[in-house]
Structures are given as structure tokens and as C-alpha cells.
Amino acid sequence: ESLIPFDAADTLLDHQLAATLEPTKIRIVVCAVPRARVRERLTLLENAGIDPDELVPGPAALGGLVTLIPTLASNGPHLIVNVGARRTDVAIVRQGKLELARTISAGADDVREAGFQEGPFGSGAERLSRELKQTLASHRMHGVDEPVSIRMAGDVDGGAPIADWLAHALGRTPVLLELPEAPAGGTLYRILFL
């Protein structure tokens, strides 16, 4: 309960197996979400005429991209950064499995407000930069190599300014994540990252 940033009584938990580093240990990725947020999302989808089979939190949904983008199913690890206006979802996939998923409460608007600089301590842009670095450092502490690729998606304005900012923050240049052509009129992207 101490790890959940909201009331545990009003929380839904789910999990999935992650890639394992040792044959005698299992790693799982656990997601927690407030019940009210799930109700809001289900109502939004129902009003749009969509009846989902499942809801997957943003960063965990990024792990599902391995079925659409075969290069993400390789040994990796691969870092996927989905930059939103005020939040950024981060996922690390390795050997076709999600290893890490988290949301950072800062995004593209924070970076733009800082003039595509890191910004002063405590600013959204500085927090995003710091938490991205901490996420990668934490992942490496488990004996995992540096990501072999960094893919970015979301509110990236065609890529250049946000890509340059991410390259400075991470010390490596990200590549724009390109989804395959969506069936049925191009709704794949909206469904995955709704």
C-alpha cells in the first residue's frame, strides 16, 4: 500500500510477467489505477460507441507494441517514450516482454515552456529529464544493458525539437516510433494511446 500514490481501497491492480534475468526468479510489472479513472475511461469509450475488451494503462500499453513492430521483439532492451502534453509514459521492453512501465507527471508542454531547455530545478522540464535518467539508471541497476534503441511517440510535433531535447536529456538520439498502417480507417493509434 505504501507504494501506491492514491487510496488503496479505491485502487484496481493488475500485473503481467516481465522478461526474467535469472531462471530461478520471476519479475512482474504491476499497475495500479484509481477505480474512478477506470469508470471515467469506460464512460468515455461507451459514449464514443466503443466496447473495449480490456483497458491497459498507457505505459503498459506501450509494451503491446512488440506485436506490431517486430524490431521491438528482439533482445533489446528498447526504451519507448510516449510524450503527452503534461505526462510522459515510459516503457522498456526486452525479448518481446515489458520490463518496466511508468508515467512521469511532465510532458511536451513543460519542455516547450522551458524553451526546449532542461529548465530550473523543480520545473516540469527538469523533472521530466531527471525522472527519465533515474528510470534508466534504476533499470540498469538490475544488471540490464543500456537500451539498444529509444523510440518516441505522442505530442512530438514531427519530432525535431522534442527529439533534440530527449537526445540531450538521455545522451542518445531517439527515433520517431512509426506504427504500421492501421486496419479499418486508421483508428489503431487512437485506440492504443487513448
Side-chain angles (χ1 to χ4, degrees), residues 169-180:
L170 297 173
R172 299 223 355 245
T173 303
V175 176
L176 191 60
L177 180 68
E178 295 194 27
L179 295 175

Side-chain angles (χ1 to χ4, degrees), residues 20-83:
T20 57
L21 297 174
E22 301 173 31
T24 58
K25 295 181 180 180
I26 344 189
R27 292 185 60 205
I28 60 172
V29 176
V30 177
C31 294
V33 64
R35 289 178 193 272
R37 188 171 296 163
V38 172
R39 276 196 249 21
E40 289 170 12
R41 186 54 47 112
L42 287 172
T43 300
L44 177 71
L45 292 170
E46 182 181 347
N47 291 341
I50 299 170
D51 183 20
D53 291 331
E54 64 181 341
L55 292 178
V56 181
L62 294 173
L65 290 174
V66 298
T67 61
L68 300 171
I69 303 169
T71 57
L72 294 177
S74 68
N75 282 342
H78 303 278
L79 173 65
I80 306 168
V81 181
N82 186 41
V83 183

Side-chain angles (χ1 to χ4, degrees), residues 51-121:
D51 183 20
D53 291 331
E54 64 181 341
L55 292 178
V56 181
L62 294 173
L65 290 174
V66 298
T67 61
L68 300 171
I69 303 169
T71 57
L72 294 177
S74 68
N75 282 342
H78 303 278
L79 173 65
I80 306 168
V81 181
N82 186 41
V83 183
R86 293 285 179 194
R87 76 171 203 207
T88 299
D89 292 329
V90 178
I92 296 178
V93 294
R94 187 171 66 88
Q95 298 174 347
K97 298 245 184 208
L98 181 67
E99 281 198 327
L100 180 145
R102 72 169 297 204
T103 298
I104 300 171
S105 297
D109 288 351
D110 299 292
V111 173
R112 287 184 193 102
E113 288 168 9
F116 295 97
Q117 303 297 314
E118 190 166 289
F121 181 77

